């Protein structure tokens, strides 16, 4: 079986690949039984199977968006499971990879909402650098096996991320697209923070409440209400 990652032994201390600010914010998680079980599970998976994203990119969303700079939390489900797509940001793909259907629908809604034409690539690094935490609820997946890493511990970890953000920040906007993301709203106090819910942008559900939801303009209105700078959703990476 193909092994697709280098440095898989580092999975034994997975938290050390987190940026220092996130390590500090989440330090109480790393001795919990679920975390130790997750590390052991990932150690085996990355050594014996093809797993996405590449090991160094598991926490790419947290690397690009520092803890103190988070303004928006956009929750996905689990990473893309086809080759070369997942790189650690929810919904995003590397610049050389064609946008998958869900991301195409996101760009359609962005154009309808704010008038920004679809960008020439599907990489959302620029959103992350603006303060949009592009967080999947599950951060890894086996190749060609969607949902294969659910219920292995990631859900507890992303619960903790959301709880600590909701506790330490004020005026965050949470974009919850689809049922898996909506399950997280129990951790988000309002009106301290804003929650924008809709259907998932996948082709199976986008017409049932994602198209027409105008999440980008609504997010900026909330940010301005909270006294924060809006997100430049249409900008390409600088």
């Amino acid at each position: 079986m193909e092994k697709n990652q280098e440095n898989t032994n580092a999975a034994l201390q997975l938290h050390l690949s987190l940026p220092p600010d996130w390590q500090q914010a989440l330090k109480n998680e790393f001795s919990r039984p679920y975390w130790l079980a997750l590390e052991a599970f990932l150690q085996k998976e990355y050594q014996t199977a093809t797993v996405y994203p590449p090991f160094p990119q598991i926490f790419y969303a947290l690397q690009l968006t520092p803890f103190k700079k988070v303004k928006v939390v956009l929750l996905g489900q689990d990473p893309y499971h086809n080759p070369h797509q997942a790189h650690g940001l929810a919904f995003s793909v590397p610049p050389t990879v064609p946008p998958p259907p869900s991301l195409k629908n996101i760009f359609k809604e962005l154009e309808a909402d704010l008038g920004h034409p679809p960008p020439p690539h599907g990489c959302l690094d620029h959103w992350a650098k603006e303060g949009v935490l592009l967080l999947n609820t599950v951060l890894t997946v086996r190749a060609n096996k969607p949902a294969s890493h659910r219920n292995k511990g990631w859900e507890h970890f992303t619960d903790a991320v959301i709880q600590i953000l909701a506790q330490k920040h004020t005026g965050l906007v949470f974009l919850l697209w689809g049922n898996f993301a909506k399950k997280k709203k129990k951790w988000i106090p309002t009106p301290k923070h804003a929650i924008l819910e809709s259907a998932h942008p996948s082709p199976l559900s986008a017409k049932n409440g994602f198209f027409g939801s105008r999440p980008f303009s609504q997010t900026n209105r909330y940010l301005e209400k909270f006294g924060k700078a809006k997100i430049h959703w249409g900008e390409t990476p600088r």
Side-chain angles (χ1 to χ4, degrees):
M1 184 175 293
E2 179 187 359
K3 299 178 185 179
N4 68 327
Q5 314 305 346
E6 68 277 16
N7 300 325
T8 53
N9 287 336
L12 287 173
Q13 299 186 59
L14 180 63
H15 67 281
L16 295 181
S17 61
L18 277 164
D21 58 340
W22 284 102
Q23 285 190 42
Q24 177 63 27
L26 296 163
K27 61 184 179 181
N28 292 334
E29 300 303 304
F30 305 135
S31 60
R32 298 190 189 280
Y34 87 82
W35 182 264
L36 301 177
L38 177 62
E39 286 187 326
F41 168 75
L42 291 174
Q43 169 77 4
K44 183 176 180 180
E45 284 288 281
Y46 273 92
Q47 286 183 338
T48 61
T50 299
V51 180
Y52 302 129
F55 183 85
Q57 294 181 324
I58 290 177
F59 294 126
Y60 191 47
L62 303 177
Q63 292 163 359
L64 282 190
T65 309
F67 182 80
K68 290 184 178 180
K69 293 187 177 181
V70 176
K71 296 194 291 185
V72 180
V73 181
L74 174 51
L75 290 178
Q77 295 183 7
D78 52 356
Y80 297 121
H81 60 272
N82 292 325
H84 311 303
Q85 292 183 324
H87 69 138
L89 299 180
F91 298 106
S92 179
V93 292
T96 58
V97 177
S102 292
L103 185 53
K104 288 181 179 179
N105 285 340
I106 291 171
F107 290 152
K108 287 179 182 178
E109 180 62 18
L110 176 62
E111 185 171 24
D113 187 4
L114 293 176
H116 297 303
H121 55 79
C123 183
L124 302 180
D125 279 20
H126 56 300
W127 289 4
K129 293 174 183 178
E130 290 260 343
V132 182
L133 181 62
L134 296 162
L135 184 70
N136 282 313
T137 56
V138 173
L139 300 189
T140 56
V141 68
R142 267 198 183 200
N144 305 312
K145 293 185 178 180
S148 53
H149 283 189
R150 288 183 190 164
N151 301 316
K152 302 298 184 182
W154 279 127
E155 293 89 347
H156 296 296
F157 177 74
T158 51
D159 281 351
V161 171
I162 291 168
Q163 289 179 75
I164 197 68
L165 284 169
Q167 176 187 346
K168 297 294 185 180
H169 289 259
T170 57
L172 298 180
V173 181
F174 289 83
L175 295 173
L176 309 183
W177 296 347
N179 291 331
F180 282 95
K182 291 175 185 178
K183 291 178 181 178
K184 301 291 191 181
K185 67 181 179 180
K186 62 185 177 182
W187 306 119
I188 306 166
T190 56
K192 181 183 180 182
H193 305 288
I195 298 175
L196 297 175
E197 299 181 54
S198 76
H200 194 274
S202 75
L204 296 175
S205 57
K207 294 181 179 179
N208 297 321
F210 178 74
F211 289 140
S213 62
R214 296 190 173 274
F216 309 102
S217 60
Q218 285 198 72
T219 293
N220 281 347
R221 281 196 293 272
Y222 272 112
L223 289 176
E224 290 177 337
K225 176 182 176 182
F226 291 138
K228 299 182 179 183
K230 65 183 181 180
I231 303 297
H232 296 91
W233 296 103
E235 290 189 4
T236 54
R238 292 185 290 273

